[in-house]
Amino acid sequence: MAGDSAKELADEVIIMADMWKYLSFFFWYRRLVKLLLHLSTGQCELQRICYKTRHGAQRTCKVEKSLRQSRTKELNDLVEKTNVNIQEALTLIITLKKIDRAQESVFVDSMFICLSQICGYNDLCYEVEQLRKEAYTSENSSHEKRLMQLWNLMMPHTPLKERVCKQWGDIGFQGTDPQTDFRGMGVLALDNLLFFASKHTDAARKVLAHSHHPHFWFSYAIAGINITSLALQFLNEGILRSHFYNCRQGQPTVVDFHQVYCYLFFEFSTFWISEEPESVMEFNRVRDKFAHKVTDLLKDSNTTLELKFKSSSDDTSLLSVSSLDRETSL
């Protein structure tokens, strides 16, 4: 037994040595290639990316990767920090790379956009997290006002009899007081639901109609809160980077996050119906399957998510995806 353990340990040491040898080779090979390209073109890696790569996610993701792999800590930090001064960051890059700002105006403009997108994504993650941390409370008049706006938009012809009542179940809350349902998603979930209802009212009411399906019903508000969790997961894992890098020339905002939420909620509701689940107990399975499909979509760096619902009679589903060149569907 001792001999077997010693052999296993020796094998592991050999594997680790081979791995480090490969990584070392890759590291120095990349450095050598960068040096040769710099000498032959007279441009640093960031310049080559900005001049030779298409704008949008393709360019910005390459710039981000280059900054992460830089030997200069100040450049590494740019892709992790929040509240970065973009002009100061741009000046830092120009100085370190010894770039003539006057002669490289195209590069400067391109880098400004890339930095705005990269640093803006970090800021968006922080801002959205603050909304999630803000717990809903009936003692906050702003929270209460937004909740009542949600009811009025979703049920315009049905007055709410009381603040705490069973009517909330009509739009998919579990109990008589929605305050108890927001839980871990806080005010972010309320803001998502309200944005969907106010900016895409017909689409939101279409999803509400789906939730009342005689066989494949689900709780509208509870599902919506769950989709908030999914959208937040996508954001924090960086899955939405390519989408925001394609659809925004500058820093993405919370409104942009809300738009992604609207896309996800609408598409999920139609996907749910198409899956024909036996009961609402299959919600997590269908949600996970839907999440995998969206994740696969966003592996294409050209993809953007866009809600294209036009009217209550529009049954188009899982087609609200566009790319820089063509229409794509799940």
Side-chain angles (χ1 to χ4, degrees):
M1 293 293 292
D4 291 341
S5 298
K7 185 178 183 303
E8 290 177 0
L9 179 60
D11 289 341
E12 290 179 3
V13 170
I14 292 173
I15 292 173
M16 290 296 295
D18 288 341
M19 183 181 298
W20 279 111
K21 185 186 297 182
Y22 170 78
L23 292 174
S24 178
F25 171 79
F26 178 79
F27 175 83
W28 289 110
Y29 175 78
R30 183 176 183 277
R31 295 297 180 194
L32 178 60
V33 170
K34 286 179 64 176
L35 176 61
L36 292 175
L37 286 173
H38 183 76
L39 292 173
S40 62
T41 65
Q43 297 175 338
C44 68
E45 184 176 52
L46 292 174
Q47 287 174 296
R48 296 193 299 273
I49 292 171
C50 289
Y51 285 130
K52 296 182 179 180
T53 309
R54 181 178 184 170
H55 68 86
Q58 292 185 23
R59 177 186 295 168
T60 305
C61 286
K62 286 185 178 181
V63 167
E64 185 174 4
K65 181 179 180 181
S66 178
L67 293 173
R68 287 185 186 278
Q69 294 179 340
S70 174
R71 289 175 295 178
T72 306
K73 186 179 184 301
E74 291 88 344
L75 298 186
N76 297 152
D77 291 344
L78 290 178
V79 299
E80 301 294 342
K81 286 184 176 180
T82 58
N83 198 29
V84 172
N85 184 305
I86 304 302
Q87 284 291 355
E88 290 181 0
L90 183 58
T91 299
L92 173 65
I93 291 174
I94 290 172
T95 302
L96 290 174
K97 300 300 181 180
K98 297 180 174 60
I99 295 171
D100 188 325
R101 182 188 287 264
Q103 294 183 1
E104 298 285 348
S105 60
V106 174
F107 167 78
V108 171
D109 292 342
S110 296
M111 273 303 302
F112 183 85
I113 292 173
C114 290
L115 289 171
S116 297
Q117 292 174 322
I118 294 167
C119 299
Y121 192 94
N122 294 334
D123 290 342
L124 177 60
C125 290
Y126 176 81
E127 189 172 357
V128 168
E129 179 63 16
Q130 298 315 299
L131 291 172
R132 186 200 67 79
K133 288 180 178 179
E134 184 179 347
Y136 183 96
T137 171
S138 58
E139 296 176 0
N140 187 308
S141 60
S142 176
H143 294 177
E144 288 287 283
K145 180 180 179 180
R146 280 132 74 185
L147 180 63
M148 294 308 300
Q149 287 175 333
L150 175 64
W151 173 268
N152 292 331
L153 285 164
M154 298 306 296
M155 304 290 287
H157 306 299
T158 307
L160 192 66
K161 296 178 181 179
E162 296 179 278
R163 166 61 181 80
V164 178
C165 63
K166 292 183 178 180
Q167 279 182 285
W168 289 111
D170 294 343
I171 60 172
F173 286 102
Q174 286 183 325
T176 58
D177 187 352
Q179 176 177 228
T180 62
D181 289 326
F182 290 113
R183 299 190 187 93
M185 290 299 105
V187 172
L188 177 64
L190 172 60
D191 286 350
N192 276 165
L193 286 167
L194 181 56
F195 185 92
F196 191 28
S198 60
K199 302 301 182 180
H200 302 281
T201 308
D202 287 344
R205 291 175 183 169
K206 181 72 172 182
V207 175
L208 181 61
H210 281 173
S211 74
H212 291 158
H213 192 283
H215 302 295
F216 313 126
W217 65 271
F218 60 89
S219 298
Y220 175 87
I222 298 303
I225 294 170
N226 202 285
I227 296 300
T228 292
S229 177
L230 180 62
L232 183 61
Q233 175 188 329
F234 284 163
L235 181 72
N236 289 333
E237 292 179 356
I239 294 173
L240 293 176
R241 287 185 184 276
S242 60
H243 163 76
F244 287 129
Y245 293 169
N246 282 329
C247 71
R248 292 286 294 180
Q249 284 290 297
Q251 297 178 322
T253 66
V254 173
V255 170
D256 296 316
F257 178 79
H258 289 330
Q259 293 288 8
V260 169
Y261 169 84
C262 295
Y263 163 84
L264 291 174
F265 197 8
F266 180 81
E267 295 294 352
F268 172 78
S269 73
T270 310
F271 183 73
W272 169 267
I273 300 295
S274 71
E275 284 289 293
E276 300 184 355
E278 292 185 5
S279 74
V280 74
M281 297 302 292
E282 289 197 72
F283 186 89
N284 287 340
R285 177 190 68 80
V286 176
R287 174 190 179 274
D288 290 345
K289 186 175 180 179
F290 175 73
H292 285 308
K293 286 185 174 291
V294 176
T295 300
D296 287 342
L297 270 177
L298 290 169
K299 288 179 181 178
D300 181 352
S301 61
N302 288 323
T303 299
T304 58
L305 308 178
E306 179 185 358
L307 180 59
K308 296 181 179 178
F309 179 85
K310 292 182 173 59
S311 69
S312 59
S313 61
D314 186 353
D315 289 323
T316 301
S317 65
L318 300 176
L319 295 174
S320 301
V321 182
S322 62
S323 75
L324 301 184
D325 299 312
R326 64 188 185 283
E327 293 295 318
T328 315
S329 70
L330 283 169

